[in-house]
Amino acid sequence: MRRFTNSMAAALAACLLPVPGAAERVATARLEVKGAIIPPACSIVLEQGGIIEYGGISLLAVPTDKPLHLARKTFPITLNCSDPAHMLLKVRDERLGTAASGMLSPAEETYLFGLGEVAGKKLGGFKLSLLPNSFKGYRAASRAADDLTVLYAFSDNVWNAVGGGHFRGNGSTKMSFAPRGSTTPGAYVTVSGEAAIETWINKRPELPGGQRLELAGSVVLELYYN
């Protein structure tokens, strides 16, 4: 009888090892790394649903020799973003070309948006502005508000502090926000302040007579952010 020696056990174990080139079974498992880079989402909040209501205006209250200057109306405006973002605000006139001329000086009329027209006659115009000293910004939800400087620029993207804070009627004005005293736009999660509407009705001889005239001013506020 042959004895099973250590050398024989080693030889048997070697036979059981995988042999390169021989058929093998393989078990696998996949490991994936996932996620998403999400840009901030921003929104504009206008009080009163974005409607400025002047109610009924008697035609006899409109002067024959000059436009009727209606009372200025102010309203809160808030810009919200999910993460700190540089915000840029523009305004597009949906009644472009209907702002009446001859009501104000040529320089002032560059800031007029249209109120619509009836029977080919332009009803008037209005200005939209951001009130410069009213704006505050939050860099994060947990931080205190910073006093902001309202900035404006045109196509050259050269930022300056606003004076009156008016948007031009042709849509060329861009406005942004910076820490008080700076002209470099900052990144915020919330910016809030006051805006104002100032409206003029064209003088009475320039208006169609004998019918109800509906003021139909409409602008779109566009918020760009990154």
Side-chain angles (χ1 to χ4, degrees):
M1 178 180 295
R2 295 184 179 180
R3 297 178 60 189
F4 191 77
T5 65
N6 289 341
S7 59
M8 293 174 65
L12 178 60
C15 291
L16 296 177
L17 291 175
V19 178
E24 297 177 356
R25 293 181 178 179
V26 180
T28 63
R30 177 176 286 108
L31 174 65
E32 297 182 350
V33 178
K34 291 189 173 183
I37 307 300
I38 302 174
C42 297
S43 62
I44 305 173
V45 179
L46 300 176
E47 293 294 322
Q48 302 167 350
I51 297 175
I52 305 299
E53 180 60 68
Y54 281 102
I57 302 165
S58 171
L59 182 62
L60 296 180
V62 181
T64 59
D65 59 344
K66 62 181 181 180
L68 175 64
H69 187 191
L70 300 179
R72 186 177 78 161
K73 290 181 176 283
T74 61
F75 59 95
I77 177 172
T78 302
L79 313 177
N80 290 315
C81 287
S82 57
D83 295 292
H86 294 88
M87 305 182 197
L88 184 155
L89 194 62
K90 297 182 71 175
V91 176
R92 174 167 48 87
D93 191 356
E94 293 196 303
R95 303 290 183 264
L96 189 63
T98 69
S101 59
M103 297 192 304
L104 307 176
S105 71
E108 285 188 282
E109 286 184 352
T110 62
Y111 298 105
L112 285 180
F113 297 92
L115 286 176
E117 58 184 9
V118 176
K121 294 198 172 185
K122 298 173 180 178
L123 303 185
F126 68 94
K127 292 181 180 181
L128 170 62
S129 61
L130 301 183
L131 301 185
N133 296 319
S134 69
F135 278 83
K136 295 184 179 296
Y138 295 83
R139 296 180 182 272
S142 60
R143 290 186 57 173
D146 297 331
D147 291 331
L148 299 183
T149 295
V150 181
L151 307 175
Y152 76 93
F154 301 109
S155 59
D156 56 8
N157 289 321
V158 176
W159 293 102
N160 292 283
V162 300
H166 294 97
F167 289 91
R168 286 189 177 178
N170 62 7
S172 63
T173 309
K174 298 179 284 190
M175 291 200 186
S176 190
F177 308 91
R180 184 64 57 85
S182 172
T183 56
T184 301
Y188 302 95
V189 295
T190 299
V191 169
S192 61
E194 293 285 317
I197 292 287
E198 201 169 0
T199 303
W200 289 262
I201 306 298
N202 211 353
K203 52 184 176 286
R204 199 190 314 169
E206 299 296 328
L207 300 175
Q211 59 183 303
R212 181 185 177 92
L213 305 175
E214 298 286 349
L215 303 184
S218 179
V219 297
V220 175
L221 279 68
E222 300 174 337
L223 179 60
Y224 298 83
Y225 51 90
N226 58 47

